[in-house]
Amino acid sequence: MEMCTVALAGNPNSGKTTLFNSLTGSRHSVGNWPGVTVEKKHGKVKVNKNIEVVDLPGTYSLTAYSMEERIARNYIVEDEVDIVVNVLDATNLERNLFLTLQLIELGKPVILALNMMDEVEKNGEKISIKKLSDELGIPVIGISALTGDGIQNLLDLVLKTYNEKDEYNLKVLTYSEKIESRINELTQEIGKLNLENNRFPNRWLALKLIEDDSEVTEKIKIQIEDEGFIEEKLVEEKYKKIGIIVKDALETKRKFNEFTSSDKIDKILTNKLYGLPIFGLTMYMVFWLTFNIGGIFMDLLDGYIANTVQPGIESFLVSMNTVSWLQSLIIDGIIGGVGGVLMFLPNIIFLFLAISLLEDTGYMARVAFILDKAMKTIGLTGKAFIPMIMGFGCNVPAIIATRTLENEKDRMIAILINPFMSCGARLPVYVLLSTAFFPGNEAIVTFSLYILGFIIAIIMAFIFKKTLFAGEATPFIMELPPYRMPSVKNITLKLWIQVKDYIVKAGSVIFVASVVVWFILGYNFSGAVTINESFGASIGKAVAPIFIPLGFGNWQATLSLLAGVLAKEVVISNMAIIYGLGESVAEAALEGSAGGFLPTLNLAFTQVSAYAFMVFILLYTPCVAVIGTIKRETKSWKWAGFSVMYQLVIAWVVAFIIYRIGMMIF
Ligand code: GDP
């Protein structure tokens, strides 16, 4: 059999990624909110290598309003796509079917996969698959991507449709007479144009002309009058059709007038008055747990590295008569640097676990909803908040996720403010410094930094909106996904992806940076020297004066900041090497043992300057991975450079203000 390519299309949050993972055995991140998947993903079906699956970005329609809608439809009409599997959230037929009708019009064979049938059953609903299939004229099948129910049947149906694809007839949705005659006129005119390289059906192009689709009107230069009226009728008729289909197919009627328990919870969680305080409290709890529970494991891991791993390797190196510089490189440089970063893994796991749980239950989507309302009042789109919250994990996927924003200007704003959202890599810095300087108040100190980042992001968004990217606010209806029991599989998967990234980073970027830093701290042009005469100290000293007004103008902090542009964790590995020089960072930081790490840190920082330093790390230049992503997403080095510069300036100014105010108070 030849390769059969199946495109998965569907609304955001319909379960496409879950289905894709289950079909292909891949492990992509799944989240209970719209807009998580924005790039298309390829994979071969596990049980049948002749079927290739492509997961398209989630869309509500196929009009060229946003980038992912264009990606989806242009891909579907390509030659290589044989079959479209339209994944639907069966608990929400009305909304999902709008896309189905558009997919049918595109002209490729469509199979409807009614997903989340487990929930439909739980809700006591019954959907007639047969009626749905009859009315739409396409094959329909009920599945549950989460439990795996019906997936084999879906594959069988895919193969059957593929084998019969030559007999496939274009399904036509017919509209009222007036619209049909206009469609026919336009279809004929388009036919006469003999368009080159056109893969779209002419009837579809006619429909899109009526809908005033920017991409199609650009391609087809047919003078059309104002089709506004017909366009409205077209959408109206589609919805009418959907209404009839749903009415026929839903065998048990939903009780519309009854508040579900989800609605009751929403009344509290999205309440104007206490929605935001509840979110604040929740996040505070998350940080409290990160420190108090994650901290226990951090101590254990630290103890293990300091008391077992390090002495073990050290005595091994000694027994092998290793030359002293190599011993120092391995112990002080690599174990000091990489170990200094790895020991924060428990905190990272805790934070990510908590955020994943909040995402998967559907709570984070509520937070976006509350903030949306607040932000609309100052002219910003609420849709930008989902990427912002994703930024708590890592800013790279978060910036990619801004592709869901229809308006280019809003998207630029969302990209430029995203790095202010404190990513997981910055957490270790806060853990280390807040443990050393604010014992007992670590959670509140760290929490305040996250809030500060958020506030700066909002202020900057507001300024951008009024200056560089002025424009109308795009209307946006935030939809709330249902509350769901988080799936253990999804959560572990997501956690694993993030933990793996952290470990891989420790083993690559941080490893290399540690070796380099070890070298520049031990040598200068005349060979091996004391740390104070090293290259590293010279570089640090040259730049340090810039930071004197901020309270941390010493070369050690400066060098750490410079290196931190590689990856924010490098700030930690760097400090571990500089201050610890082989000492275990946390041990010294936590126990404050004489001659250890803490006394040196205490000389280098006061409480106020340590806080200013953390603020600077929160706000300054994004790491190289993020700079690269900004370049890729804005298609210009100009904006990547801009974000480096403006974040530096903001970090400096804010840290300065905080340091000065702090000095007055304390
Ligand atoms: P996508 O945005 O379309 O890729 O959707 P995801 O695959 O990220 O899924 C969205 C949410 O729906 C996640 O919380 C999934 O765990 C959940 N989900 C997906 N499929 C099913 C299903 O068949 N049953 C139930 N109950 N939940 C599902």
Side-chain angles (χ1 to χ4, degrees), residues 624-643:
V624 281
V626 170
I627 298 174
T629 310
I630 295 178
K631 192 255 148 185
R632 220 180 55 215
E633 295 298 313
T634 60
K635 298 193 180 59
S636 118
W637 278 114
K638 188 180 96 189
W639 289 116
F642 175 79
S643 69

Side-chain angles (χ1 to χ4, degrees), residues 181-368:
S181 74
R182 186 67 189 126
I183 295 174
N184 285 337
E185 275 169 36
L186 284 171
T187 311
Q188 277 175 14
E189 271 187 69
I190 293 167
K192 282 189 218 138
L193 292 177
N194 274 330
L195 295 169
E196 271 177 43
N197 298 329
N198 174 34
R199 298 178 196 282
F200 293 98
N202 287 348
R203 182 182 163 89
W204 183 84
L205 289 173
L207 283 164
K208 292 293 138 179
L209 274 184
I210 293 175
E211 287 173 8
D212 199 20
D213 179 287
S214 57
E215 207 179 42
V216 173
T217 45
E218 216 166 88
K219 201 156 72 177
I220 300 172
K221 303 273 182 245
I222 291 185
Q223 207 56 44
I224 47 169
E225 318 97 69
D226 179 21
E227 310 271 353
F229 171 71
I230 298 198
E231 183 186 345
E232 256 173 49
K233 286 284 286 176
L234 199 70
V235 176
E236 200 181 296
E237 285 186 23
K238 270 209 176 88
Y239 275 116
K240 215 156 129 194
K241 224 183 256 294
I242 292 171
I244 295 169
I245 296 174
V246 173
K247 197 159 156 260
D248 286 351
L250 258 186
E251 295 187 339
T252 38
K253 296 287 162 266
R254 269 176 222 164
K255 301 174 199 112
F256 280 107
N257 46 6
E258 205 177 89
F259 266 138
T260 58
S261 53
S262 182
D263 292 332
K264 281 184 206 143
I265 301 172
D266 274 344
K267 275 199 108 155
I268 302 170
L269 293 186
T270 63
N271 182 288
K272 269 198 210 102
L273 276 180
Y274 21 88
L276 217 48
I278 291 177
F279 175 54
L281 215 65
T282 312
M283 286 313 283
Y284 177 71
M285 279 297 295
V286 168
F287 289 113
W288 193 87
L289 286 174
T290 302
F291 279 95
N292 287 282
I293 311 223
I296 299 173
F297 294 97
M298 178 185 88
D299 289 350
L300 289 176
L301 190 62
D302 173 43
Y304 181 71
I305 296 176
N307 303 327
T308 312
V309 178
Q310 192 176 313
I313 294 182
E314 203 164 355
S315 59
F316 173 75
L317 293 175
V318 171
S319 73
M320 297 296 285
N321 277 332
T322 317
V323 286
S324 65
W325 69 263
L326 189 58
Q327 270 189 40
S328 166
L329 170 65
I330 294 174
I331 301 289
D332 302 333
I334 296 170
I335 300 186
V338 177
V341 168
L342 277 185
M343 55 168 274
F344 295 102
L345 198 57
N347 307 79
I348 297 276
I349 292 179
F350 244 84
L351 182 68
F352 285 169
L353 177 68
I355 290 181
S356 297
L357 283 173
L358 291 178
E359 260 179 49
D360 256 40
T361 50
Y363 178 60
M364 281 303 199
R366 265 84 193 164
V367 176

